[in-house]
Amino acid sequence: MDAYAAEPGAAEIDVVLCGLGDQARMLRDGRADVAFMQRPFDSLAGFDTEDVLTEQQIAVVPAAHPLAARPSLLMADLDDVPDLPVARWPRQDGTYEDGPGPEIHDLSQLAQLIALGHTMAVICASARTWLWGAHAAIPLTDSSPVTTVLAWPAHSRSRAVAGLVRTATRL
């Protein structure tokens, strides 16, 4: 955003924080012009996108859990850990899949529940930035990659959006 702001004629950017899955609704109803979203988790139908970052996923477990000592894991290793169910994220319609793990509403809640030993999570590797000593991050060698994209409505003809996208892709 700083690089775009330094461009001649750059529009002012207002950052709007939102909850999980709110980006698509905000783009569709006009409350946002551009949003960061993630493929394959977010529905990108009706949006133009530009890839920003592709990364693998990690398992985040309590630092004291036996899984924390492993150098890497497979997705199957997480299927049946009786004392540590996988956290459940909301679907796009706000409902949750059935399962024993807690329903997660935000990253702060997730971090606390992991630190307390109540759950584990499968998340993007860049999430390491908000982990602390009570957490362990273990690479998942067979996980699907996740791509963070910059998304905007396909019908947009905004020069400001085009300028921001050009700057982001250049960087």
Side-chain angles (χ1 to χ4, degrees):
M1 291 187 301
D2 290 341
Y4 171 69
E7 296 285 328
E12 185 177 327
I13 297 175
D14 292 322
V15 176
V16 179
L17 301 178
C18 61
L20 295 171
D22 288 342
Q23 297 91 332
R25 281 188 293 279
M26 293 176 76
L27 288 173
R28 287 189 176 98
D29 69 18
R31 287 180 289 157
D33 298 315
V34 178
F36 286 109
M37 299 173 74
Q38 292 185 319
R39 183 186 319 114
F41 304 121
D42 294 315
S43 171
L44 302 175
F47 302 124
D48 285 336
T49 64
E50 193 66 48
D51 292 0
V52 176
L53 172 70
T54 299
E55 58 188 320
Q56 287 304 119
Q57 297 183 76
I58 57 173
V60 180
V61 301
H65 194 276
L67 287 176
R70 305 263 304 267
S72 65
L73 294 167
L74 300 172
M75 292 295 291
D77 295 330
L78 308 179
D79 285 345
D80 189 25
V81 182
D83 63 327
L84 202 62
V86 176
R88 295 178 295 137
W89 297 96
R91 296 179 184 126
Q92 291 183 13
D93 66 1
T95 63
Y96 291 83
E97 287 186 28
D98 291 334
E103 296 177 354
I104 299 303
H105 305 285
D106 60 54
L107 290 175
S108 178
Q109 177 192 41
L110 176 64
Q112 293 293 335
L113 289 172
I114 293 170
L116 292 169
H118 294 289
T119 194
M120 69 172 132
V122 174
I123 55 178
C124 298
S126 59
R128 285 184 171 101
T129 60
W130 58 261
L131 301 180
W132 65 86
H135 302 118
I138 303 102
L140 291 165
T141 58
D142 65 343
S143 67
S144 300
V146 175
T147 301
T148 299
V149 303
L150 199 55
W152 61 96
H155 60 78
S156 175
R157 299 294 173 253
S158 166
R159 289 183 180 190
V161 168
L164 178 63
V165 171
R166 272 193 308 277
T167 301
T169 56
R170 186 179 74 240
L171 298 176

